[in-house]
């Protein structure tokens, strides 16, 4: 276990003056513009926003898969230049290697680091035990349920002892009950490992329930619209989601996102040549109706 | 749950047999129908040839199943026939193995490196539609011995299906898996070995199966044209020598050998890709 515990407070993510644009035939298209975010060591931070706002783009830039057009991404002061095992990532599509057993999947990062077989087998078993998956170590991922797959995905990302954990809508494909359990498991692991987490989701409840802080993004081109601290005490229980404090936070975030979703949708509707929709709505704007 | 099945007492043999039957009913049915249809085929063949039916198609000179069986029992004691079979198998082995050894790595590299793809793909596309038989004269010019040119034809036949399917497999590799490997610290070499290669394996094996089929087609054609030995030559020679039963024997031998080699590949595929079994 010792190799997966982060010793000193590490994993300070900083994204400064960040923008990212793609080339297209009509010229550069801005996906994310003028964005600053940070995650303190050991902090759990979520990014929420309407679909297509560039929150995954931002996360992929932190992971090192995308290069910022302007600005800089650093982790503990070091510039991010490409993907590395220092930044573990969990994907919505699980992305387990189908040709590797559960244990081989978890071992993969350790193998890449050159850890001898017996040692990494032991480490993988310990981690799988923590996630309640030791009975499935020899199974191929295909045979697992969605929730189990994603548990393996999280364990695999944590196995190499990364400084930060990046999650891209990891529970988006799971049913509501499984989702709740997964949120609990993730919280437990995060508290145990004291690792910094950057979590992308479109689920407001999920963001509030899990996070210390939530960034809300604007519609495309995405930028930070608001930064909301979540002062709910920990450990958090499912029952908290009914508390007035939670509901107040939820209401606030909801209205922020709704504004942006309508902007995003309005843009799309206009693109589809549906400006006439306003007339059908008897003079009310789309925002009033929704 | 009815109380009649107590967990303590093991189920009787009758119960087990009944359960086994229920679980395997589909397979048993398929086997039974398959056997019946094969027997029906033999029966129709027997009737058509015994009564020398002429109905557009002429069965006057077509050997009967019994005649073919008689020539089969004779042939398996004839070292020359076994030599024919052995030589064909050897040619398939060399031609097909060489094709796999060249086409699979080439496809993997072409799939991974755009420049290699851009250089090789146009040439491959021009050569690919040429049937292996059309290569026979060229092959005879190219290679010093007859044996080499036949192996070359076999090689060509299986080369393109393997290459094309490997390329297809590479183009379908999920980029998210590549990214997952990258943020677990994988470098180019291990991404190739641990992601691209296993992800392409199912398509590689499709290519090998198709390639094996085309290898036999090409081999038989080459043997009929330029061979001195081999099961294709045996079949053609039987026609020249008016040994009609041997024609059918040669054909059936080719069919059985082709079937056997595809089964070998399927078995190898299951061994190499345990995650895909069942």
């Amino acid at each position: 276990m010792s190799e997966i515990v982060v010793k000193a407070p590490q994993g300070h993510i900083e994204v400064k003056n960040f923008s990212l644009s793609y080339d297209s035939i009509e010229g550069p298209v801005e996906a994310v513009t003028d964005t600053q975010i940070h995650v303190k060591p050991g902090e759990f931070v979520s990014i929420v926003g309407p679909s297509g706002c560039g929150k995954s783009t931002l996360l992929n830039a932190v992971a090192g898969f995308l290069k910022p057009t302007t600005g800089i991404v650093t982790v503990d002061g070091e510039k991010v230049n490409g993907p590395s095992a220092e930044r573990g990532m969990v994907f919505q599509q699980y992305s387990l290697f189908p040709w590797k057993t559960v244990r081989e999947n978890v071992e993969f990062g350790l193998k890449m680091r050159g850890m001898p077989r017996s040692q990494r087998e032991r480490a993988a078993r310990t981690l799988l035990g923590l996630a309640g998956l030791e009975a499935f170590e020899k199974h191929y991922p295909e045979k697992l349920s969605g929730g189990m797959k994603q548990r393996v995905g999280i364990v695999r990302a944590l196995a190499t002892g990364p400084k930060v954990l990046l999650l891209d809508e990891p529970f988006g494909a799971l049913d509501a009950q499984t989702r709740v359990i997964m949120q609990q498991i993730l919280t437990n692991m995060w508290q145990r490992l004291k690792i910094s987490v950057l979590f992308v989701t479109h689920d407001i409840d999920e963001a509030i329930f899990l996070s210390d802080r939530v960034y809300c993004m604007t519609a495309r081109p995405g930028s930070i619209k608001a930064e909301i601290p979540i002062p709910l005490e920990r450990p958090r229980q499912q029952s908290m989601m009914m508390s007035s404090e939670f509901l107040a936070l939820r209401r606030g975030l909801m209205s922020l996102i709704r504004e942006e979703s309508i902007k995003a949708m309005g843009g799309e509707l206009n693109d589809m040549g549906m400006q006439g929709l306003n007339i059908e709505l008897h003079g009310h704007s789309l925002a009033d109706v929704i | 749950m009815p109380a009649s099945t107590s967990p303590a007492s093991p189920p009787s043999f009758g119960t087990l047999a009944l359960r086994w039957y229920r679980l395997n009913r589909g397979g048993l049915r398929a086997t039974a129908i398959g056997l019946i249809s094969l027997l029906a085929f033999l029966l129709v063949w027997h009737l058509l040839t015994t009564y020398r039916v002429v109905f557009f198609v002429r069965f006057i000179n077509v050997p009967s199943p019994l005649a073919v069986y008689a020539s089969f029992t004779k042939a398996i004691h004839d070292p020359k026939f076994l030599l024919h079979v052995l030589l064909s198998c050897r040619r398939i082995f060399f031609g097909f193995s060489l094709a796999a050894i060249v086409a699979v790595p080439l496809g993997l590299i072409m799939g991974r490196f755009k420049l290699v793809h851009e250089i090789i793909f146009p040439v491959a596309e021009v050569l690919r539609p040429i049937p292996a038989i059309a290569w026979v004269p060229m092959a005879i010019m190219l290679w010093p011995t007859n044996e080499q040119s036949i192996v070359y034809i076999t090689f060509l036949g299986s080369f393109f299906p393997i290459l094309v399917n490997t390329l297809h497999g590479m183009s379908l590799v999920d980029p998210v898996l590549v990214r997952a490997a990258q943020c677990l610290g994988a470098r180019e070499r291990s991404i190739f070995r641990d992601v691209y290669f296993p992800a392409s394996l199912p398509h590689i094996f499709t290519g090998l199966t198709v390639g094996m089929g085309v290898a036999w087609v090409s081999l038989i054609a080459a043997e009929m044209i330029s061979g001195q030995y081999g099961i294709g030559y045996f079949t053609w020679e039987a026609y020249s020598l008016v040994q009609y039963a041997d024609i059918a024997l040669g054909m059936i031998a080719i069919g059985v050998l082709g079937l056997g080699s595809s089964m070998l590949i399927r078995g190898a595929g299951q061994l190499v890709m345990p995650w895909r079994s069942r």
Side-chain angles (χ1 to χ4, degrees):
Chain A
M1 271 300 290
S2 60
E3 57 271 73
I4 62 157
V5 173
V6 179
K7 291 114 198 156
Q10 279 187 316
H12 187 126
I13 306 173
E14 265 195 285
V15 178
K16 282 188 202 148
N17 307 323
F18 178 93
S19 81
L20 200 147
S21 42
Y22 301 99
D23 271 332
S24 84
I25 194 96
E26 286 117 21
V29 176
E30 272 209 314
V32 180
T33 182
D34 188 29
T35 291
Q36 346 275 335
I37 64 166
H38 67 98
V39 181
K40 283 176 268 179
E43 197 181 17
F44 199 122
V45 174
S46 291
I47 306 176
V48 294
S51 57
C53 72
K55 50 191 191 295
S56 292
T57 307
L58 187 56
L59 193 76
N60 278 318
V62 176
F65 296 125
L66 298 172
K67 291 224 178 320
T69 311
T70 64
I72 187 168
V73 179
T74 60
V75 173
D76 292 336
E78 259 176 66
K79 191 179 170 210
V80 168
N81 268 325
S84 120
E86 287 196 340
R87 278 158 279 126
M89 183 132 176
V90 178
F91 304 84
Q92 180 177 6
Q93 312 91 319
Y94 315 124
S95 72
L96 301 178
F97 304 120
W99 42 87
K100 290 185 185 292
T101 62
V102 165
R103 201 187 67 214
E104 286 166 349
N105 264 284
V106 174
E107 278 181 33
F108 185 74
L110 301 171
K111 189 175 158 194
M112 293 299 108
R113 229 171 50 182
M115 187 186 277
R117 178 183 293 262
S118 61
Q119 214 178 326
R120 62 176 197 249
E121 261 186 40
R122 216 174 321 124
R125 282 220 182 86
T126 313
L127 280 164
L128 285 168
L130 282 179
L133 287 165
E134 63 269 71
F136 299 94
E137 61 164 319
K138 291 204 173 82
H139 285 54
Y140 286 103
E142 196 200 27
K143 307 231 165 85
L144 306 182
S145 69
M148 286 199 312
K149 280 183 198 167
Q150 201 54 298
R151 264 188 279 165
V152 178
I154 294 171
V155 168
R156 183 179 70 173
L158 290 171
T160 50
K163 290 178 169 179
V164 301
L165 184 62
L166 312 171
L167 302 101
D168 191 359
E169 304 210 17
F171 310 142
L174 303 176
D175 62 76
Q177 284 83 355
T178 313
R179 203 172 239 259
V180 169
I181 296 166
M182 293 299 295
Q183 290 165 358
Q184 209 79 58
I185 291 173
L186 178 63
T187 311
N188 288 345
M189 290 198 143
W190 165 70
Q191 279 175 327
R192 198 186 272 258
L193 300 173
K194 310 222 181 327
I195 188 174
S196 318
V197 173
L198 187 56
F199 189 96
V200 162
T201 180
H202 61 256
D203 182 335
I204 293 169
D205 288 333
E206 184 170 78
I208 300 172
F209 182 70
L210 292 172
S211 311
D212 296 323
R213 214 147 40 81
V214 175
Y215 285 108
C216 176
M217 284 183 82
T218 65
R220 181 174 268 243
S223 61
I224 302 302
K225 184 185 178 74
E227 178 189 339
I228 297 121
I230 308 292
L232 301 173
E233 63 188 47
R234 293 187 189 270
R236 293 181 186 165
Q237 307 297 332
Q238 212 57 44
S239 55
M240 279 180 168
M241 296 179 93
M242 293 302 177
S243 71
S244 55
E245 215 182 345
F246 190 99
L247 292 173
L249 285 164
R250 183 174 197 268
R251 218 172 298 130
L253 255 173
M254 201 77 136
S255 63
L256 284 170
I257 294 219
R258 189 184 305 169
E259 278 173 37
E260 292 308 319
S261 300
I262 289 164
K263 267 191 227 165
M265 262 175 78
E268 267 170 43
L269 292 174
N270 286 338
D271 288 348
M272 290 158 71
M274 287 176 72
Q275 297 95 326
L277 206 65
N278 281 335
I279 300 161
E280 280 171 50
L281 299 169
H282 305 288
H284 294 288
S285 78
L286 197 56
D288 294 334
V289 178
I290 298 173
Chain B
M1 279 295 284
S4 60
T5 51
S6 77
S9 67
S12 72
F13 177 76
T15 328
L16 276 178
L18 200 69
R19 263 189 226 157
W20 184 87
Y21 168 74
R22 249 190 244 138
L23 286 170
N24 294 287
R25 195 154 38 177
L28 287 171
R29 192 185 116 114
T31 312
I33 293 179
L35 277 176
I36 291 169
S37 111
L38 279 173
L39 286 175
F41 175 81
L42 282 175
L43 183 68
V44 171
W45 175 13
H46 175 76
L47 292 175
L48 285 173
T49 48
T50 314
Y51 294 101
R52 299 176 179 270
V53 174
V54 176
F55 181 72
F56 294 110
V57 187
R58 300 157 299 150
F59 287 92
I60 299 167
N61 290 322
V62 175
S64 73
L66 289 171
V68 175
Y69 182 73
S71 80
F72 168 70
T73 48
K74 206 166 69 203
I76 51 165
H77 298 295
D78 179 3
K80 218 172 157 202
F81 177 78
L82 296 179
L83 190 64
H84 284 305
V85 171
L86 204 71
L87 276 173
S88 286
C89 289
R90 202 179 75 174
R91 287 163 182 164
I92 285 286
F93 177 77
F94 284 121
F96 176 81
S97 305
L98 279 172
I101 288 166
V102 179
V104 171
L106 184 65
L108 293 173
I109 290 167
M110 281 170 76
R112 190 76 190 95
F113 303 104
K114 226 171 158 188
L115 181 67
V116 183
H117 189 279
E118 285 161 350
I119 292 171
I120 294 178
F121 192 68
V123 183
E125 277 303 278
V126 172
L127 294 181
R128 192 164 64 95
I130 303 171
I133 314 166
W135 274 93
V136 170
M138 183 65 80
I140 293 169
M141 288 197 293
L142 279 172
W143 297 91
T145 71
N146 216 17
E147 195 61 26
Q148 286 164 342
S149 57
I150 292 176
V151 169
Y152 176 68
I153 301 279
T154 314
F155 164 86
L156 275 178
S158 44
F159 181 81
F160 288 107
I162 300 173
L163 180 68
V164 167
N165 279 284
T166 307
L167 274 176
H168 184 59
M170 285 296 279
S171 71
L172 293 180
V173 175
D174 186 353
V176 177
L177 291 181
V178 177
R179 288 200 276 156
Q182 282 174 331
C183 58
L184 289 166
R187 309 255 162 184
E188 184 62 38
R189 232 183 85 189
S190 32
I191 290 173
F192 205 89
R193 191 191 52 208
D194 289 308
V195 182
Y196 278 102
F197 180 61
S200 305
L201 267 179
H203 288 94
I204 292 176
F205 269 91
T206 306
L208 292 176
T209 312
V210 177
M212 182 55 97
V214 185
W216 277 101
V217 173
S218 314
L219 172 79
I220 300 304
E223 283 179 347
M224 284 188 168
I225 294 172
S226 70
Q228 285 161 343
Y229 276 105
I231 195 71
Y233 174 76
F234 170 85
T235 308
W236 189 253
E237 189 195 41
Y239 174 71
S240 316
L241 300 178
V242 208
Q243 299 282 337
Y244 293 141
D246 281 350
I247 295 178
L249 179 62
M251 287 168 67
I252 292 169
I254 294 163
V256 169
L257 290 170
L259 184 70
S261 42
S262 329
M263 278 166 70
L264 273 180
I265 291 180
R266 205 171 311 148
Q270 275 166 4
L271 271 181
V272 178
M273 301 181 286
W275 68 93
R276 282 173 66 89
S277 58
R278 260 159 285 134

